[in-house]
Amino acid sequence: MAAFKQRFVLFSRHSVLAIVLILFSKAVSGNVTLKTGQALLTVYNDYSENLIVGIKFDICYNCSVTRLNSSDDDATNTIYPNNNRSFTIQTAHPSSVYLNCTNGDGYCYIKSPYTYAEHGHYLLKVQRDKFTCSANSVKECNSIIIIDPGQNEYLPILYAAVVILFLSVGWVCLTFGYRLAIKKGILKYCHFRAIDRAAARDLGTPSKSTPSSNYGATEAETKPLINDGTRDGADRESDPKPKKKVRLMSLDAFRGFSLAIMIFVNYGGGGYWFFNHSVWDGLTVADLVFPWFVWIMGVSLVFSFSGRSQDSVWKRLYQIVRRTIILFGLGLLLNSNTSDFQLATWRIPGVLQRFAISYFVVAMTELLSTAVYSLQKRKVKFSCWEPIADMANSWVQWTLILLLELLSLTLTFLLTDSSCPQGYLGPGGISEWGAYENCTGGAAGIIDRWFFGENHIYQHPTAKHMYQLHHSFDPEGLLSSLNSIVICLLGVQAGRVLVFFKGRHIGIVIRFIMWGVLLGVLSALLCEGQRENGLIPINKNLWSLSYTLAMAGSGFLLLAMFYTLIDVLKLWNGAPFKYPGMNSILVYVSHEVFQDYFPFSWPHQTDTHLIFLSANLVGTGLWMLIAYYCYYIEFFVKI
């Protein structure tokens, strides 16, 4: 009876204490403002010694435990006996909370790993009968009580998908009705050019011998109304239509699709981790679009050179150099578009700079190889090579790919210095338990810091906070530029397929699928199907070989899909993606310049995924509308 009474008293005391802690925790949570992707953890110390709270994220590979930031910004993070403290925790990735005494070496971890909900509030009561600070011990202890379950941070994506689907259906219905109205003649006189033609028929053809026919107006004033761009004022409809350059709409749509994702990602991606770049190894949606752009540029180069075959070598060389300088210069200007810009910290590498380097090397290869192929055709007939004509006529490009990869892999796995071992591909910092703290990016980081200097490369790498980096690192550095050239050359291979097998749609689609599967399999073999432990992990920061092959392979597969739907089956005209795809340089540069201006972005009163996602989608949608308006008025910017 005495034992039962003792247990009852103990249970009552713990129950009352738990209720008091929950009520107190709710009061604390009301005083803490949580941002997007954050939760609140309150820890009560019922142990006899001071406690320190640490954390380790599941995505942080081989990382040591780091101290958890207190919501009151107290640097000590110490919880005294019979006291509590609240901590903010990032909810993007699962994490493990570790408890340790200030005078002990042992750790006690809490349900490893645990996934917290956005704006949720959790209580951890460290009970003396379930916790010990024995040296060198690591065991699971205690449990977390959910005070406020927070909110489902992924529901806004579902809402956005429903709204986009509704708008897409509305767009299809609107365009169908518009075309039907045009066909039936309802909107016959809603076009300015149709009005001009009707006016020309009524007024007649002007003549220099009868100036009075201009009704007192000058010829320059009446020419736009009467001539409408035709010869001698003749009716446009009676003249043969001028031959226009046919565009591959599937390529424009693919480019515009990539650009739309890029804008959405650059504007914040709704605050979701998978709409932002990978911390280090791995792949997210944000990691896809840049290499797709480079790959598409390679495809476009083939069509560009085919259309300028009559130009002299010097003229094409001038165009290559001119475009390279413009792209590189625009990139430098965009890098200076910051509020704290200083020449001493002006970042030299960048996205458009990477485009410029890739374009110059690949375009020069195309220019020089043209002479090689023309000489070769005088000696060798290619009829026997017809099934693989696209590859037989690209041996110069394939030789360059092999040389670039040989150089890239040699530097990556052999270059070293005092802080980096050979072949290191990790982020440094607290990775590998801090063994290579100053070796971010391995050889890639060594080359960039030597060539550009520490202050002229990217100061905010994606791994900076997770791995607590002390060095800058640039994902658009020199060494990774070699693989961007390779992916552009693989895009040239896709362009070769489209040119050499023009009109043979099934053959083109089959070749695209074969290339996509082959490159994807090679990438899987290199990374061994793992995020970190493979031979060459998929890594966007390093533009690793496995990443390059995976992105080129996905480019082949996506273009096969767009090509089938738009150019073969004609089930889709590519809208709305074709509009930004036909004006990509204008839309990209403009969205970078105006990204901090209303209505493309605005300050938020509350930090939730719903608010951020809505704002980012509105900003992206506005640029799509601007691209459509430029298409409508036939305003295109090319360099």
Side-chain angles (χ1 to χ4, degrees), residues 123-185:
L123 173 64
L124 173 61
K125 180 176 177 293
V126 183
Q127 301 178 17
R128 64 184 65 192
D129 57 336
K130 294 184 179 181
F131 181 77
T132 178
C133 277
S134 59
N136 299 320
S137 66
V138 179
K139 63 179 183 178
E140 184 172 358
C141 57
N142 296 277
S143 59
I144 292 178
I145 302 174
I146 301 177
I147 299 176
D148 184 351
Q151 52 191 316
N152 189 336
E153 56 188 295
Y154 300 109
L155 275 180
I157 298 179
L158 177 61
Y159 301 151
V162 172
V163 172
I164 292 174
L165 179 61
F166 176 78
L167 293 176
S168 301
V169 173
W171 174 270
V172 171
C173 295
L174 183 63
T175 53
F176 177 79
Y178 178 78
R179 291 172 184 171
L180 183 63
I182 291 291
K183 186 177 180 180
K184 298 294 185 180

Side-chain angles (χ1 to χ4, degrees), residues 237-255:
E237 295 177 352
S238 62
D239 286 344
K241 292 184 178 180
K243 187 177 180 180
K244 293 184 178 180
K245 183 180 179 181
V246 179
R247 297 184 65 93
L248 189 65
M249 279 300 166
S250 56
L251 192 62
D252 286 329
F254 187 13
R255 187 188 295 111

Side-chain angles (χ1 to χ4, degrees), residues 348-584:
I348 298 176
V351 173
L352 291 183
Q353 294 91 317
R354 171 68 58 84
F355 275 115
I357 295 171
S358 303
Y359 170 78
F360 179 78
V361 174
V362 176
M364 289 299 296
T365 305
E366 285 288 295
L367 181 63
L368 297 176
S369 62
T370 303
V372 176
Y373 296 146
S374 62
L375 290 174
Q376 187 184 45
K377 287 179 181 179
R378 296 175 187 175
K379 299 179 181 180
V380 182
K381 293 183 179 180
F382 274 84
S383 57
C384 59
W385 298 97
E386 197 274 338
I388 55 170
D390 54 317
M391 292 191 65
N393 283 274
S394 300
W395 67 267
V396 173
Q397 283 77 4
W398 281 106
T399 302
L400 180 59
I401 288 175
L402 294 176
L403 292 175
L404 289 173
E405 279 308 323
L406 179 62
L407 176 61
S408 175
L409 294 174
T410 300
L411 291 174
T412 298
F413 289 100
L414 295 183
L415 184 63
T416 183
D417 67 0
S418 58
S419 61
C420 288
Q422 283 188 349
Y424 182 71
L425 302 175
I430 61 174
S431 178
E432 303 293 343
W433 298 280
Y436 311 115
E437 182 178 6
N438 298 320
C439 188
T440 303
I446 294 173
I447 293 173
D448 289 339
R449 286 189 288 271
W450 167 77
F451 188 83
F452 297 112
E454 184 81 28
N455 294 330
H456 293 286
I457 57 179
Y458 194 47
Q459 302 296 312
H460 307 285
T462 56
K464 183 178 181 67
H465 299 291
M466 181 66 69
Y467 288 95
Q468 300 184 12
L469 304 184
H470 303 293
H471 280 289
S472 52
F473 178 82
D474 208 305
E476 280 81 50
L478 283 179
L479 183 57
S480 59
S481 295
L482 299 178
N483 276 340
S484 71
I485 297 171
V486 169
I487 198 172
C488 190
L489 288 168
L490 291 173
V492 169
Q493 178 60 40
R496 288 277 195 276
V497 172
L498 290 166
V499 169
F500 281 95
F501 302 99
K502 183 178 181 181
R504 297 159 61 177
H505 300 312
I506 296 178
I508 290 174
V509 173
I510 290 176
R511 281 172 170 80
F512 280 171
I513 294 175
M514 290 176 61
W515 274 111
V517 172
L518 175 62
L519 295 175
V521 169
L522 291 175
S523 174
L525 291 175
L526 287 174
C527 70
E528 300 179 21
Q530 304 178 66
R531 189 176 65 189
E532 285 100 0
N533 294 320
L535 177 63
I536 302 180
I538 292 179
N539 189 299
K540 189 267 177 186
N541 287 281
L542 300 174
W543 280 63
S544 62
L545 178 56
S546 57
Y547 172 76
T548 301
L549 296 177
M551 294 300 96
S554 61
F556 275 103
L557 295 176
L558 278 174
L559 185 56
M561 182 188 71
F562 279 94
Y563 182 76
T564 302
L565 293 176
I566 298 174
D567 293 313
V568 179
L569 301 179
K570 300 188 183 302
L571 298 176
W572 178 34
N573 65 353
F577 298 120
K578 69 178 182 180
Y579 305 126
M582 298 173 70
N583 230 340
S584 56

Side-chain angles (χ1 to χ4, degrees), residues 50-101:
N50 298 340
L51 295 179
I52 297 176
V53 182
I55 193 169
K56 180 179 178 182
F57 287 93
D58 185 47
I59 200 174
C60 195
Y61 182 65
N62 287 345
C63 291
S64 54
V65 179
T66 58
R67 289 193 176 187
L68 190 60
N69 294 325
S70 175
S71 60
D72 56 6
D73 296 327
D74 188 344
T76 62
N77 283 355
T78 303
I79 308 177
Y80 302 104
N82 299 318
N83 279 276
N84 66 81
R85 174 156 290 171
S86 295
F87 303 86
T88 55
I89 295 182
Q90 299 297 322
T91 63
H93 305 285
S95 59
S96 302
V97 174
Y98 288 76
L99 301 172
N100 186 25
C101 299

Side-chain angles (χ1 to χ4, degrees), residues 592-612:
E592 286 279 357
V593 173
F594 295 102
Q595 64 176 338
D596 294 327
Y597 293 89
F598 183 83
F600 305 106
S601 66
W602 58 85
H604 312 119
Q605 297 297 325
T606 57
D607 285 333
T608 63
H609 280 293
L610 180 61
I611 299 298
F612 271 100

Side-chain angles (χ1 to χ4, degrees), residues 87-300:
F87 303 86
T88 55
I89 295 182
Q90 299 297 322
T91 63
H93 305 285
S95 59
S96 302
V97 174
Y98 288 76
L99 301 172
N100 186 25
C101 299
T102 54
N103 60 349
D105 298 324
Y107 281 102
C108 178
Y109 66 89
I110 310 299
K111 195 175 181 180
S112 173
Y114 193 85
T115 302
Y116 299 87
E118 183 184 35
H119 292 180
H121 188 191
Y122 303 84
L123 173 64
L124 173 61
K125 180 176 177 293
V126 183
Q127 301 178 17
R128 64 184 65 192
D129 57 336
K130 294 184 179 181
F131 181 77
T132 178
C133 277
S134 59
N136 299 320
S137 66
V138 179
K139 63 179 183 178
E140 184 172 358
C141 57
N142 296 277
S143 59
I144 292 178
I145 302 174
I146 301 177
I147 299 176
D148 184 351
Q151 52 191 316
N152 189 336
E153 56 188 295
Y154 300 109
L155 275 180
I157 298 179
L158 177 61
Y159 301 151
V162 172
V163 172
I164 292 174
L165 179 61
F166 176 78
L167 293 176
S168 301
V169 173
W171 174 270
V172 171
C173 295
L174 183 63
T175 53
F176 177 79
Y178 178 78
R179 291 172 184 171
L180 183 63
I182 291 291
K183 186 177 180 180
K184 298 294 185 180
I186 300 175
L187 300 178
K188 181 178 180 181
Y189 291 101
C190 288
H191 296 283
F192 295 114
R193 291 181 177 176
I195 296 174
D196 289 348
R197 289 195 293 269
R201 284 193 292 270
D202 292 339
L203 295 175
T205 303
S207 173
K208 291 183 180 180
S209 60
T210 57
S212 58
S213 62
N214 287 346
Y215 300 97
T218 64
E219 183 179 355
E221 292 171 339
T222 58
K223 186 176 181 180
L225 177 66
I226 299 176
N227 285 351
D228 193 23
T230 60
R231 297 185 305 273
D232 299 327
D235 190 356
R236 178 190 294 265
E237 295 177 352
S238 62
D239 286 344
K241 292 184 178 180
K243 187 177 180 180
K244 293 184 178 180
K245 183 180 179 181
V246 179
R247 297 184 65 93
L248 189 65
M249 279 300 166
S250 56
L251 192 62
D252 286 329
F254 187 13
R255 187 188 295 111
F257 173 72
S258 303
L259 183 56
I261 297 178
M262 180 177 284
I263 295 173
F264 175 68
V265 165
N266 289 347
Y267 279 3
Y272 292 101
W273 65 269
F274 45 83
F275 287 139
N276 284 281
H277 293 293
S278 300
V279 176
W280 192 251
D281 293 326
L283 202 61
T284 65
V285 175
D287 297 330
L288 305 176
V289 289
F290 188 11
W292 283 349
F293 257 107
V294 179
W295 186 85
I296 291 170
M297 182 172 65
V299 182
S300 303

